[in-house]
Amino acid sequence: MRAVTEISNNHEFSMRIRKVLQGTLMPFIAILIALAIGAVILIAANFNPLQAYQAMYLGAFADFSSFTEVLLDATPLICIGVGLAVAFRCGIWNIGGEGQFYAGAVTGTAIALYAPALPGWILLPLVLVGGAAGGALWAMLAGYLKTRFGANEVVTTVMLNYVAIIATSYLVSGPMIEPRGTYPQTAQIPDGARLPLIMPPTRLNLGFIIALLLAVGLYLLIFKSSTGYAIRAVGINPEAAHYAGIQVKKNILLAMAISGGAAGLGGAMQIAGVTYRLFQQISPGFGFTAIAVSLLVNNNPLGIILAGILFGGLSTGARLMQMNAGVPAVLVNVIQGLVILSVVAFGAYRILTMEREE
Amino acid sequence: MNSPILRMENIVKTFPGVVANRGVNLEIRRGEIHALLGENGAGKTVLMSILYGLYVPDSGTIYLNGQPITIKSPKDAIAKRIGMVHQHFMLEPTLTVAENIILGQFPSWTILNKQRIGEVHEKIRSLSNQFGLGVDPAARVSRLSVGEQQRVEILKVLYHGADLLILDEPTAVLTPQEASRLLEFLRDLAKKGLTTIFITHKLDEVMQVSDRVTVLRDGQVIGTCETRETNPRALAKMMVGREVLMDLHRKLASPGEPVLAISNLRVRDARGLPVVKGVSFTVRAGEIVGVAGVSGNGQSELALAIAGLIDDVAFDRFQLEGKDVTRRDLRAASHRHSAHIPEDRQKMGMVLPFSVSENFILEEYSSPRFARHGFLRGQAIRSYSQNQVKKFDIKVSDVSEEIANLSGGNQQKVVVARELDRHPGFLLVNQPTRGIDIGATEFVHQQILAQRDGGTGILLISTDLEEIFALSDRILVIFEGEIIGELPSDRSQVEKVGLMMAGKRDPDRE
Amino acid sequence: MDVAVILAFVSGILAATWRMATPLIYASVGEVFAERSGVINLGLEGIMLVGAFNAYTAAFYSGSLWLGLLAALFTGVLLGLLFAFFTVTIKANQIVVGTAFNLAGSGISGFLFESIFLKSNYSSLGIPTFNDLSFPFLTKIPYLGDILFHYNILVYITVLLVPLASFVLYKTAFGLAVRSVGAHPKAADTMGISVSRMRYICVVIGSVLTALGGATLTLAFANQFVEDMTSGRGFIALAAVVFGGWTPWGATAASLLFGVFYALQLRVQAMNSVLLPYQFLQVLPYVATVLALISVRHRAGSPKALGVPYRS
C-alpha cells in the first residue's frame, strides 16, 4: 500500500515538473524551431543567417537604450495580446486586434485633438478610456454579429480590420488632416494628452507600466474571478455553461468588449506615448503579431508579458537587421507563423505521449 | 455445420486509462446465433469493433474459416464478408437509403448516373423483398422511423454480402414488440445460413434467441455455454460476479404539495416539427414520477424544455414550487427552483478540462459560498470539494485533478453530488445511470431515493424499464411526444407499459 | 444622364465583375470541397498569396505563364498537404493553423519578394499577362461583347471548373464519399472510407484552386507581385462558401456578387469621381462580405462535422 502511494507521489511529482518545464521551455523551443526554419529561408534568399540573426539580436539587446525600444514595441503587443487571450479563452477567435487597435487610436486621437482645453490630469485619462471604449465597441460589433446572426467571427473581424484601416486612411487624409498640412496625418496632440516619459532620454513611457498592470489585472480576471470562470466555461463548453445558468451570449459580448478594450487602449497609448499623432499605418501589424504572442503562452496574460517582450525584441531587432544587414524585416511575420505551428505541433505531441503513457 | 467460422485468440486492447479486453478468446460456429453478454463497459463492443476493423488490437490473433487474418479497417472486414450493425446507426440522414448503402462500394471515379443508381435500387429492392424488410431505396433516411433505419442497417450489411453479422445492442432503441419481431427475423437469417453475433446485456433476449452465449466481464471471458443448458440466474451471476441486486428497499411515498405543474407543453425541433405535443402533468413533493418510453420519443426535448434550455417551447401554464413562472424567463426560474441531472453528463453536465472542484461549483460559482467581491474563494471551494468527494466516495487523487481523468461512474457522482447539494424542491433526472457500473448505479439510486424521502419532488426520465420500476412511485408513458398513460409502479404492469411504449393507448382492450 | 451613359456604366461594371470574381471563384469552389469534407481552411489568404507570388516568380524567370500556373499548382499541393497534416493528422485547431498560415504566407511572400526582386537590379519587374481571347464577331457585339467575350483564358476556365466541380461533388462516388465524410465521418469510416484520406484530398483540392486563384492575380490581372496583394480575398472566398450554401454553384454566385462590389469600386474610381473619397469604394467588398454573412443566419447545409477533427 505504501509503495503504491510512493509511486503515485513520484508520478505526481514528475508530472508537476514536466508541467513547469512544458510551460516555460516549450515556448522557447518553439521559437528556436521557428528561427531554425527562418535560417533556411534566409539561406534560400542568399543571406547569411548568422549575420542576420546577429544584427537582429544586437538591434534589440545591444544596450539598454535599444532594450527600451523593445519595451516600447512590446507595449502594444502586450495590450492586444492579453485582450485576445480573454477572447480566445471564451472560445471566440478574435482576429480583429489590428482593427480594434486602429479604432482605439482614432478615438484617442479625436479626444486629444478636439478636447485640448481640458487639463492634463483629465485629458490623458479621457484619451485612454476613450481609446479603450472605441476598441471595445469595434470588437463588440463582431461579437454582436456572432451572437445575433451566427456570423463567423474570424471572417467578420478580419473584414472589420480592413474597414478600420481604410476608415483611418480616410480620416487622416480628410476630416482629421492636420491644418495646412499636405501629408495624410493629423496634427500633433497637445502635451496634456501625452503619456509621461519614465526614463528620459529614452522614449519609454508610462504606457509600458499600464500594459503590465493590464496584464496582471486580466490574469486575475480570467483565473481568479467568477466572471473569468464563466468566460472560461463558455469557451470550453457553451452547452454546459448554459445549463449552469451562465448567459453564454452575454459572456461572449463581454469577452469581446474586454478584448477590444485592451487593444483600443493599446492604440490610444501608441498615440499618446509614441507617435503623438495619427497617420495611415499607425500599426505595423501589432494586431496580428499579438495572436502569436497569446497563443505562444497558451493565452496566459502573465506569460504574454514575456512573450510580448520577446516579440517586441524580434520586431525591433528585425528593423535594425533590415537597416544594418539589408534583410527585409517582414521575415518576422514568417517566424510568427512558424512559432504558432510549432506550438500546435508541440501540443499534439504532448497529447500523443500522454495517451501512450496512460 | 459445427465447424467454427471465427476464432479470436488472446485479444488484448487497451485505451488511455482502461484495459478494454484482457486476453479474450471467442469461438463462433457457422450458422449459429451467438450472444455476447455483459454489462456496460465489459468490453463487448470493443471486441466486436476489433473484429470489424475499427480498432487494431494490441495483441491477439483472429482466424476466419481456420485461416489467420488481419483486419486493418472496415474495408477489410467488408471484403471478408463481415458486417456490423452499430448501436448508434451509421446512416447519414441527408442522403438516401441507396446512397448510404453504396458508400465506399465503388471506386472514386465511378459516375453515379441514372442507370447505375437504377441498378443499385433494383438490387436493394430485390434483397429487401427476399428478406421481407420493406425498404425503399430512394427514401431519404431522415424521413425513416427508428425501426426502418435499423432495417436499412441490416440491409446494408446483407447488400455487401456478409455471412457473419454483428449486431450491437440492436433492441436498445426498439419497443418490446419491435424487439421481438427483430429476434424472429434473426432466427430466419440463421435458417438461411447466416452466422450472427449478438451483443446484449438483456438476459431474456439471450434466452429467447441465441444458440450459445459467451459472458464477458471486465474485459475477460467468464465462460461460454449452450443457451439451453443454462438459465437466466446463472448467466446473471456470471455477468455481475455476484448475486444480482434485489429490489431497493423503498418506503411508501407520501406526496405533498405540487412542485412542478405544467399544462399543454409543446416543443418543436430545429426543423419546426412538433416533438412534444401538449404534455400536462404534476410532480408532488416527496414522490418520484417516472417517464418511461423508447429512446427518441421526445424525452430529451421534454427534459430540456422543463429546464428552460431550448428555445422553441410553448405552454399554457408552468408552475415551479408553487410559483407561476409561465411568463418568466424559464431558464432563470428553473435554475433558481430546481436541480437537473442531465442526460449527457459530458456534453452538458460538466466542463471536461476543468478540475473536479471547478466542476463542483459549476451551478453556484457566483454564490457567496464560493465567491466574494467578484473573486473566487479558492480555499472555500477546495475544502467544500474535499468534503463532497468524501461524502460521495468519489475516487480521485486530488480535487484539483481534471474531471476528464475520472471514470464515468465517478464523473456522474460529481454531477449528482453537485445537483443534490443545491437542495432543490424539484429535481429533474434524465438517464442517471447510463453507461456506469453497478456499484455507482446502486449508489446513485440510493441518493435519489434519499432525496425523495427528504421531500423533493422528482421527475425521472429513463429508457431503462428496470430503473423506472425500481425508483418510481408512479409511471407516465411517453410515445411520439405524448404522455399516453399513467400507471402505478408495480411490476405486474411491466407488460402493459411495454405495450404502451409501442403506442398502444389502452392495452387492456386487446 | 442619358441612357447611353447609364448603359455604358452598367455594362462596364458587369464586364469587370466576372474578372474580379475569378480569383474568388477558384478559391471558394475549392474551399467547398474542403468544407464539405469537414475541414475549414482559414489559411486561404496565405495560400492565395504564396500562390500568386510563386506563379509570378516562375513566370518571371521562365518567361512562360503556363509554368507560372504550374508553380501555383505545386504550391497549392504542398501547402494543402501541410495544412492537412496539421489539421487532419495532428488534429490541431483549424482556426489556429489557418491564422499561422496567413501570417507565414504574408511573411514569406513579402520577404522573398523584397529580397529577390526589390533588391535586384532588374530593369523591370513586370511580366506579360494572359491576353484576352478574341472571338470573331462576338467580341464586337455592343455591351454583350464587353460583358461576355473579352476575357483571358483563366477567366473562361471557371466556365468549365464550376460545372465540373458540381458534377464531381454530386454525381460521382468520390463526391458521395466527400459529402458523407463531412456530414457523418463515423458512418463513412464504417463503410471502409478513409476519413483522413478523403480530407487530405479535399484540402489539397481547395488549396490548389486557391493558389491558382492567387495566380490569376499576378498572371492575368496585375503584371507584377505586390506585397499582401490579395488584401482579404481569401477571407472573402470563405464568406462566399457560407453565403453560397456550401455548393459550387452557390459559391460561384456569391463570388460574382462580391465581384460586383470590386467592379463598382474600380469603375467609379476610374471615372475619377469627386463625389466620393476613394476609401468609400475601397471598403465596399469588406462591408458586403459582412452583410452577406449576417444575411444567411445559421444557414442549413453546413456540413455537420465541419471543423471537428475525426477520432475513430
Side-chain angles (χ1 to χ4, degrees):
Chain A
M1 192 65 209
R2 235 191 99 185
V4 172
T5 16
E6 246 165 49
I7 288 168
S8 77
N9 273 348
N10 262 337
H11 180 66
E12 213 170 286
F13 183 68
S14 70
M15 286 292 276
R16 195 171 303 162
I17 293 256
R18 187 177 311 157
K19 229 177 180 175
V20 171
L21 283 181
Q22 272 161 356
T24 51
L25 259 186
M26 198 264 286
F28 281 103
I29 298 176
I31 295 217
L32 284 182
I33 292 175
L35 287 175
I37 301 176
V40 175
I41 295 168
L42 281 167
I43 294 170
N46 218 2
F47 291 108
N48 180 339
L50 288 178
Q51 260 174 15
Y53 285 153
Q54 191 189 21
M56 189 189 257
Y57 175 78
L58 289 178
F61 303 109
D63 52 41
F64 184 72
S65 89
S66 54
F67 185 62
T68 60
E69 287 293 308
V70 170
L71 297 184
L72 217 55
D73 254 6
T75 304
L77 293 181
I78 294 171
C79 286
I80 307 172
V82 292
L84 295 182
V86 176
F88 294 168
R89 286 271 172 189
C90 192
I92 311 299
W93 296 100
N94 177 11
I95 311 295
E98 186 81 352
Q100 291 141 26
F101 181 89
Y102 271 88
V106 168
T107 36
T109 309
I111 292 169
L113 288 180
Y114 301 126
L118 293 168
W121 59 272
I122 295 185
L123 183 57
L124 178 59
L126 206 60
V127 167
L128 301 186
V129 170
L137 286 174
W138 199 243
M140 282 172 82
L141 178 55
Y144 174 74
L145 296 177
K146 181 182 178 68
T147 53
R148 175 74 176 76
F149 300 103
N152 180 327
E153 76 275 15
V154 175
V155 178
T156 57
T157 50
V158 169
M159 293 299 118
L160 290 174
N161 283 343
Y162 286 106
V163 174
I165 293 168
I166 293 168
T168 305
S169 143
Y170 164 69
L171 289 171
V172 297
S173 55
M176 289 173 78
I177 194 168
E178 114 186 85
R180 290 175 302 281
T182 47
Y183 294 112
Q185 60 182 21
T186 66
Q188 285 213 334
I189 57 170
D191 286 344
R194 297 183 185 185
L195 285 161
L197 301 179
I198 52 177
M199 243 177 240
T202 73
R203 296 199 293 161
L204 195 63
N205 59 70
L206 192 61
F208 180 66
I209 307 293
I210 295 177
L212 295 185
L213 292 176
L214 180 71
V216 173
L218 290 186
Y219 171 81
L220 293 175
L221 179 95
I222 293 178
F223 293 110
K224 304 288 173 193
S225 79
S226 43
T227 309
Y229 178 91
I231 285 176
R232 283 184 293 135
V234 169
I236 298 168
N237 187 345
E239 209 174 321
H242 182 47
Y243 153 82
I246 298 169
Q247 287 173 289
V248 175
K249 290 182 177 183
K250 198 188 94 184
N251 276 286
I252 288 178
L253 283 175
L254 178 66
M256 273 310 259
I258 295 171
S259 190
L265 175 66
M269 295 205 302
Q270 190 70 5
I271 302 291
V274 182
T275 64
Y276 302 137
R277 58 156 47 112
L278 180 65
F279 45 87
Q280 272 188 17
Q281 269 169 357
I282 188 76
S283 160
F286 290 134
F288 301 111
T289 307
I291 298 170
V293 166
S294 185
L295 291 178
L296 177 63
V297 292
N298 193 21
N299 308 316
N300 181 330
L302 294 185
I304 287 171
I305 296 176
L306 291 177
I309 294 173
L310 196 67
F311 273 85
L314 278 177
S315 47
T316 309
R319 274 200 303 276
L320 271 291
M321 172 181 80
Q322 176 153 11
M323 257 194 304
N324 297 335
V327 182
V330 289
L331 180 68
V332 176
N333 286 15
V334 186
I335 291 174
Q336 284 159 12
L338 294 174
V339 161
I340 298 178
L341 289 180
S342 315
V343 169
V344 163
F346 263 108
Y349 171 77
R350 208 170 60 195
I351 290 167
L352 284 179
T353 50
M354 269 168 63
E355 276 178 6
R356 214 167 290 145
E357 265 172 37
E358 282 169 20
Chain B
M1 184 68 193
N2 273 352
S3 68
I5 181 171
L6 171 84
R7 223 166 71 228
M8 298 179 85
E9 259 177 23
N10 272 317
I11 304 293
V12 176
K13 176 67 187 172
T14 53
F15 293 101
V18 206
V19 186
N21 288 161
R22 24 185 124 221
V24 174
N25 293 301
L26 181 70
E27 193 180 271
I28 307 290
R29 293 178 194 153
R30 190 176 307 279
E32 72 171 340
I33 297 181
H34 195 111
L36 210 50
L37 181 69
E39 288 212 287
N40 289 320
K44 316 176 293 270
T45 302
V46 172
L47 184 67
M48 288 302 106
S49 297
I50 288 171
L51 180 55
Y52 192 63
L54 286 167
Y55 297 133
V56 179
D58 301 343
S59 63
T61 325
I62 301 173
Y63 297 89
L64 192 68
N65 298 316
Q67 302 296 316
I69 54 164
T70 50
I71 305 172
K72 288 195 290 276
S73 72
K75 210 184 178 93
D76 294 347
I78 295 169
K80 298 197 158 60
R81 304 168 81 83
I82 299 170
M84 182 162 179
V85 174
H86 302 264
Q87 188 178 3
H88 302 285
F89 296 153
M90 295 300 163
L91 297 171
E92 165 49 31
T94 59
L95 301 179
T96 67
V97 168
E99 283 174 324
N100 269 290
I101 289 177
I102 61 167
L103 264 183
Q105 181 195 352
F106 296 112
S108 285
W109 53 84
T110 311
I111 293 169
L112 303 176
N113 52 15
K114 281 222 169 65
Q115 193 204 339
R116 169 101 49 188
I117 293 289
E119 287 165 14
V120 168
H121 282 191
E122 201 36 59
K123 187 173 169 196
I124 294 174
R125 226 173 267 126
S126 83
L127 256 179
S128 169
N129 292 339
Q130 187 188 333
F131 288 95
L133 288 169
V135 168
D136 171 13
R140 217 158 272 285
V141 169
S142 57
R143 304 186 159 273
L144 302 183
S145 73
V146 174
E148 286 172 309
Q149 290 188 22
Q150 187 169 57
R151 293 205 287 280
V152 174
E153 285 279 23
I154 293 172
L155 189 67
K156 189 159 100 178
V157 169
L158 297 175
Y159 178 94
H160 290 283
D163 49 23
L164 175 58
L165 175 66
I166 308 163
L167 292 149
D168 189 356
E169 306 252 0
T171 58
V173 289
L174 304 179
T175 64
Q177 287 75 15
E178 277 176 315
S180 64
R181 220 175 315 139
L182 174 76
L183 298 182
E184 271 168 44
F185 177 72
L186 292 183
R187 285 255 64 115
D188 284 351
L189 285 184
K191 276 181 209 138
K192 290 183 173 139
L194 257 81
T195 312
T196 305
I197 304 176
F198 178 76
I199 301 179
T200 184
H201 62 263
K202 294 180 183 161
L203 293 169
D204 49 341
E205 287 175 1
V206 174
M207 299 312 295
Q208 209 180 323
V209 77
S210 70
D211 299 309
R212 292 198 305 154
V213 51
T214 295
V215 181
L216 277 181
R217 185 173 78 222
D218 205 16
Q220 281 172 306
V221 172
I222 301 302
T224 300
C225 42
E226 303 282 335
T227 308
R228 55 185 141 64
E229 289 167 11
T230 183
N231 60 63
R233 192 159 268 278
L235 286 177
K237 197 171 168 186
M238 286 166 78
M239 184 163 98
V240 183
R242 57 183 161 113
E243 292 292 335
V244 227
L245 291 176
M246 290 295 105
D247 267 356
L248 291 155
H249 292 293
R250 198 144 54 89
K251 283 188 251 165
L252 230 56
S254 44
E257 292 298 304
V259 289
L260 171 78
I262 50 179
S263 72
N264 198 17
L265 178 78
R266 289 146 290 160
V267 183
R268 286 172 188 282
D269 68 7
R271 289 175 299 172
L273 303 173
V275 276
V276 178
K277 306 164 186 164
V279 163
S280 308
F281 61 87
T282 304
V283 177
R284 295 174 182 281
E287 70 166 348
I288 297 179
V289 178
V291 177
V294 176
S295 150
N297 274 287
Q299 296 99 317
S300 306
E301 292 81 2
L302 175 66
L304 294 176
I306 292 172
L309 286 166
I310 38 175
D311 293 333
D312 212 343
V313 177
F315 40 76
D316 294 348
R317 192 170 56 98
F318 200 119
Q319 281 184 336
L320 270 172
E321 290 192 306
K323 290 190 188 61
D324 196 309
V325 294
T326 309
R327 282 174 213 301
R328 295 228 232 119
D329 172 5
L330 202 53
R331 175 78 278 259
S334 161
H335 191 250
R336 187 163 336 115
H337 293 289
S338 65
H340 175 194
I341 298 171
E343 180 176 15
D344 189 333
R345 59 177 167 270
Q346 296 206 339
K347 251 173 88 185
M348 184 172 275
M350 61 181 87
V351 181
L352 278 179
F354 273 12
S355 68
V356 171
S357 61
E358 279 177 309
N359 272 291
F360 268 128
I361 64 168
L362 187 58
E363 299 258 23
E364 306 279 342
Y365 71 98
S366 60
S367 76
R369 268 202 296 174
F370 302 131
R372 191 189 294 146
H373 309 307
F375 282 92
L376 296 172
R377 302 171 57 191
Q379 197 46 53
I381 293 168
R382 197 178 157 75
S383 57
Y384 167 81
S385 306
Q386 283 165 337
N387 268 336
Q388 289 289 83
V389 161
K390 221 173 282 160
K391 199 167 134 196
F392 282 78
D393 190 27
I394 296 164
K395 293 195 178 52
V396 56
S397 63
D398 188 86
V399 293
S400 64
E401 192 174 334
E402 276 183 27
I403 198 166
N405 297 340
L406 273 58
S407 73
N410 282 306
Q411 289 179 345
Q412 183 71 347
K413 279 183 181 177
V414 171
V415 175
V416 171
R418 179 184 71 214
E419 295 306 313
L420 297 187
D421 197 49
R422 302 182 64 210
H423 306 295
F426 168 64
L427 174 64
L428 173 61
V429 184
N430 195 355
Q431 301 283 18
T433 57
R434 182 152 66 185
I436 66 179
D437 60 82
I438 286 262
T441 298
E442 210 171 340
F443 186 84
V444 168
H445 281 174
Q446 276 159 2
Q447 292 297 325
I448 291 173
L449 280 177
Q451 196 76 17
R452 179 201 74 163
D453 294 340
T456 301
I458 298 171
L459 186 70
L460 167 72
I461 299 174
S462 178
T463 52
D464 181 350
L465 259 189
E466 267 306 303
E467 181 164 76
I468 291 279
F469 277 101
L471 295 179
S472 313
D473 299 305
R474 53 197 176 92
I475 295 172
L476 307 173
V477 182
I478 190 166
F479 176 74
E480 290 188 345
E482 285 177 77
I483 301 283
I484 60 168
E486 181 184 332
L487 301 99
S489 176
D490 182 330
R491 297 225 181 242
S492 63
Q493 306 287 328
V494 170
E495 187 156 345
K496 225 157 141 190
V497 171
L499 285 168
M500 290 175 81
M501 280 161 66
K504 282 231 175 341
R505 274 158 207 274
D506 36 11
D508 293 337
R509 286 257 295 278
E510 231 166 314
Chain C
M1 270 203 267
D2 58 68
V3 181
V5 173
I6 293 172
L7 214 55
F9 180 73
V10 171
S11 81
I13 286 178
L14 290 182
T17 294
W18 191 3
R19 190 190 303 274
M20 297 309 293
T22 295
L24 299 177
I25 294 174
Y26 277 99
S28 62
V29 168
E31 178 64 8
V32 164
F33 278 86
E35 296 202 10
R36 268 306 181 88
S37 81
V39 181
I40 176 163
N41 187 344
L42 280 155
L44 290 192
E45 179 82 3
I47 293 171
M48 195 185 261
L49 205 46
V50 177
F53 175 75
N54 286 355
Y56 164 74
T57 310
F60 184 86
Y61 285 110
S62 72
S64 157
L65 294 172
W66 295 104
L67 280 181
L69 273 187
L70 199 65
L73 194 140
F74 274 117
T75 306
V77 172
L78 230 62
L79 292 180
L81 288 175
L82 194 64
F83 191 89
F85 172 74
F86 275 101
T87 54
V88 179
T89 305
I90 286 191
K91 305 183 204 307
N93 183 309
Q94 299 176 2
I95 296 175
V96 173
V97 177
T99 302
F101 264 58
N102 294 332
L103 278 170
S106 150
I108 196 152
S109 58
F111 174 77
L112 292 177
F113 181 66
E114 283 185 34
S115 44
I116 298 174
F117 291 96
L118 291 188
K119 283 163 59 80
S120 70
N121 306 319
Y122 299 124
S123 56
S124 158
L125 293 178
I127 51 171
T129 54
F130 281 104
N131 291 323
D132 288 356
L133 302 185
S134 115
F135 300 86
F137 310 119
L138 293 176
T139 310
K140 300 220 170 61
I141 304 173
Y143 305 123
L144 211 58
D146 270 350
I147 297 172
L148 290 177
F149 301 109
H150 76 130
Y151 301 109
N152 61 66
I153 181 79
L154 296 185
V155 177
Y156 287 117
I157 285 177
T158 60
V159 178
L160 299 176
L161 173 71
V162 181
L164 180 70
S166 189
F167 179 81
V168 169
L169 197 55
Y170 292 105
K171 295 286 172 197
T172 66
F174 173 78
L176 180 61
V178 171
R179 287 180 287 139
S180 71
V181 160
H184 196 335
K186 184 100 198 178
D189 191 7
T190 60
M191 295 301 281
I193 295 170
S194 161
V195 176
S196 315
R197 195 167 142 257
M198 290 310 296
R199 290 189 171 172
Y200 260 85
I201 293 172
C202 288
V203 168
V204 168
I205 291 176
S207 176
V208 164
L209 287 176
T210 301
L212 289 177
T216 63
L217 292 173
T218 42
L219 301 183
F221 302 138
N223 65 343
Q224 189 201 311
F225 181 78
V226 179
E227 276 181 59
D228 288 325
M229 71 188 301
T230 48
S231 54
R233 283 183 174 82
F235 290 99
I236 294 176
L238 280 166
V241 174
V242 179
F243 195 48
W246 288 272
T247 67
W249 285 109
T252 304
S255 298
L256 286 168
L257 179 71
F258 294 138
V260 171
F261 290 100
Y262 276 106
L264 200 66
Q265 172 198 333
L266 281 181
R267 208 57 207 168
V268 178
Q269 223 165 316
M271 285 164 64
N272 216 351
S273 160
V274 284
L275 292 172
L276 281 173
Y278 74 95
Q279 289 100 342
F280 281 78
L281 299 165
Q282 212 183 349
V283 87
L284 274 179
Y286 307 115
V287 174
T289 302
V290 172
L291 293 178
L293 273 185
I294 65 180
S295 67
V296 291
R297 154 161 230 214
H298 300 303
R299 177 143 200 173
S302 152
K304 266 179 299 227
L306 185 59
V308 187
Y310 178 65
R311 291 164 210 279
S312 58

